[in-house]
Amino acid sequence: METIIKKIQRDNIDQETIKEAASLLKEGKLVAFPTETVYGLGANGLNPKACENIFKTKNRPADNPLILHISNIGMLYNLVSGVNEDAKKLFDLWPGPLTIIFKKSKLIPDVVTAGGDTVAIRFPKDEIARRLIEEANLPIAAPSANISGRPSPTKASDVYYDLNGKIPMILDGGESQIGIESTVIDLSSEIPTILRPGFYTYEYIKEILANLKLDDALIDDNKIPKSPGQKYKHYAPKAKMKIFVGNKAFDTIYQQAKAYEEKGLKVGILTFDDRINEVSKAYAISLGQRDDLRQMSHMLFSALRKMDRMKVDIILAEGVSEKNLGKSIMNRMKKSASGNVEYL
Ligand code: AMP
Ligand code: MG
C-alpha cells in the first residue's frame, strides 16, 4: 500500500483534505493525524474490523484497550453508561490532554475496550483532530501512531518511519505541541484514579477532585497497573538506555560516556542547555532548559527517535525529580530505559 502524506496547515485548514481523510475513516480505513499530545492512528471506533486493523498495524497487544476521540461533549452520552459529577467537573479541562474512563455503553465494540466494561474517551484540543472527527461524525479510536513499544510519534515523519506502506494516509500538521500523551483518569469506580500521568498533573487535577489518587502502580513499581498499556515495554529507543537523577547525574554521565567511548561505543547523551557544551555535540541532545519541564516533554520522544537515527550503541540520560510534570516525564523515561535509573 502506498502511504500518502498530506500537508495541512493548522491556521488555514483545507476542508477538502479533511473530507478526504474523513471518507477513508468512514470506509473503515486507517488515517494518522496530529493531536496536541502525539500523532494518533485513527479508525472508526464503532467498526470492529477497522479497530482490529489498528491492533494489527501497530502490533499492539490485544488486551490493551483503545481511546475513543470525540469532537464535542454531546458525542459522549451515547458512548458511556453514566456521567457523574466528577466527570462534569473535569469537562473544564476538555478539549485537552485528558482521557476519562467511564463505564461503557452497548454501542462500543469489544475490540475497543479489550473485552472490558469500561471505555476511555478523549476530546482533543488540536484543531485538525477536531475538524477530522467532526467531519467523520464518528468517535475515532486512536492510539499513538507508532509500532507498539517504540517512542510515540510527535511529527508526520515519525509516523512514516514506523507505518510507511501500512496505512493509506498521514495528515501532516507539523509538530505536536505537547509531545507526551494525555493523562488517563479512571472515573468508573468509587475513587477517581490517575492510571497514566500526562500533561495535566496529579497536583493540578487534585485541585479539582480533592479525593483524587494515583494508581498504586505509579507509586510502587512492583504493583500491577490498572491500565493495561502501562505494563508493556514502551517508548523504547533501539539502544539500551540508562537514566541518572540528582546533583551528580551529569558528571556521572560524563565519566561513563568517556569509558564507553574508550571501548569504541557510540554514546548518545540526553542532557540540558546548561551542560550540553561540555560534551561533544555529535551524539548529544539538549532537552532544553533544566527547569523547563514543558519543553522537556515536548522534546523527549523526538530526541529518542533521533538517537535511533544516529544509531548510537547506548543512551545516557539525565532524568528529573518526579514532581508535577516531572512525574509524567519520568514515567515515560523509565519505560524507555526498562526501569534502569540511578539516583545520585
Ligand atoms: P495509547 O496506546 O498511547 O493510546 O494509550 C492508551 C492508554 O489508555 C493505554 O495505557 C491504555 O491501556 C489506556 N486505556 C485505554 N482504555 C482503557 C480502559 N478502558 N481502562 C484502562 N485503561 C485504558
Ligand atoms: Mg501509545
Side-chain angles (χ1 to χ4, degrees), residues 236-241 266 307-308 311-315 336:
K238 290 180 177 151
K240 185 178 160 189
M241 175 163 154
K266 213 192 243 190
M307 289 292 171
D308 285 351
K311 298 194 165 62
V312 299
D313 298 303
I314 184 156
I315 301 169
S336 305

Side-chain angles (χ1 to χ4, degrees), residues 8-14 126-128 131 172-174 177:
I8 186 157
Q9 273 172 302
R10 186 165 284 101
D11 52 4
N12 184 17
I13 295 173
D14 176 39
D126 184 289
E127 197 55 29
I128 298 169
R131 290 274 292 273
D172 179 357
Q177 297 102 309

Side-chain angles (χ1 to χ4, degrees), residues 216-261:
D216 291 345
L218 296 173
I219 298 162
D220 177 351
D221 289 342
N222 297 314
K223 294 266 166 65
I224 297 170
K226 255 186 91 188
S227 182
Q230 291 279 307
K231 70 179 183 245
Y232 291 107
K233 182 174 171 171
H234 243 107
Y235 319 119
K238 290 180 177 151
K240 185 178 160 189
M241 175 163 154
K242 293 211 267 182
I243 305 168
F244 301 86
V245 184
N247 290 339
K248 296 195 191 111
F250 179 83
D251 294 330
T252 308
I253 288 175
Y254 187 91
Q255 300 293 341
Q256 291 205 4
K258 242 181 167 173
Y260 283 121
E261 275 157 7

Side-chain angles (χ1 to χ4, degrees), residues 35-284:
T35 83
E36 71 274 22
T37 56
V38 302
Y39 271 68
L41 178 59
N44 174 355
L46 301 179
N47 175 338
K49 281 247 146 46
C51 293
E52 273 162 30
N53 201 10
I54 288 183
F55 285 86
K56 261 187 243 150
T57 304
K58 280 183 56 98
N59 199 16
R60 184 179 178 95
D63 68 348
N64 190 6
L66 304 174
I67 297 175
L68 292 184
H69 293 68
I70 57 176
S71 56
N72 59 69
I73 290 184
M75 285 174 85
L76 174 72
Y77 291 86
N78 278 333
L79 305 174
V80 305
S81 76
V83 174
N84 61 20
E85 288 307 309
D86 283 350
K88 287 180 187 156
K89 287 185 196 159
L90 290 184
F91 289 168
D92 283 347
L93 304 183
W94 271 358
L98 172 74
T99 296
I100 306 178
I101 313 271
F102 296 92
K103 286 261 191 290
K104 71 167 196 151
S105 79
K106 291 199 185 87
L107 261 189
I108 315 284
D110 277 346
V111 56
V112 169
T113 64
D117 62 354
T118 59
V119 64
I121 311 276
R122 183 161 101 83
F123 177 3
K125 193 177 175 96
D126 184 289
E127 197 55 29
I128 298 169
R130 282 165 67 181
R131 290 274 292 273
L132 177 63
I133 301 162
E134 210 167 74
E135 180 64 32
N137 197 18
L138 289 164
I140 300 297
S144 49
N146 54 312
I147 297 291
S148 281
R150 306 241 318 117
S152 298
T154 54
K155 41 185 181 302
S157 57
D158 296 342
V159 180
Y160 190 78
Y161 184 94
D162 278 21
L163 301 181
N164 176 24
K166 295 183 163 189
I167 58 174
M169 187 184 282
I170 301 169
L171 284 183
D172 179 357
E175 276 184 40
S176 292
Q177 297 102 309
I178 292 177
I180 61 168
E181 300 85 348
S182 59
T183 306
V184 177
I185 295 200
D186 185 5
L187 293 186
S188 71
S189 52
E190 199 77 344
I191 299 175
T193 307
I194 293 192
L195 304 186
R196 175 175 74 182
F199 181 77
Y200 283 129
T201 63
Y202 170 74
E203 291 84 347
Y204 183 77
I205 299 175
K206 206 169 165 61
E207 302 269 315
I208 304 170
L209 301 179
N211 59 341
L212 182 71
K213 71 175 194 93
L214 282 163
D215 186 34
D216 291 345
L218 296 173
I219 298 162
D220 177 351
D221 289 342
N222 297 314
K223 294 266 166 65
I224 297 170
K226 255 186 91 188
S227 182
Q230 291 279 307
K231 70 179 183 245
Y232 291 107
K233 182 174 171 171
H234 243 107
Y235 319 119
K238 290 180 177 151
K240 185 178 160 189
M241 175 163 154
K242 293 211 267 182
I243 305 168
F244 301 86
V245 184
N247 290 339
K248 296 195 191 111
F250 179 83
D251 294 330
T252 308
I253 288 175
Y254 187 91
Q255 300 293 341
Q256 291 205 4
K258 242 181 167 173
Y260 283 121
E261 275 157 7
E262 274 162 22
K263 287 189 204 156
L265 295 186
K266 213 192 243 190
V267 184
I269 294 176
L270 292 180
T271 181
F272 299 99
D273 285 355
D274 57 350
R275 307 303 293 262
I276 189 80
N277 289 328
E278 296 172 47
V279 285
S280 143
K281 290 244 179 62
Y283 307 117

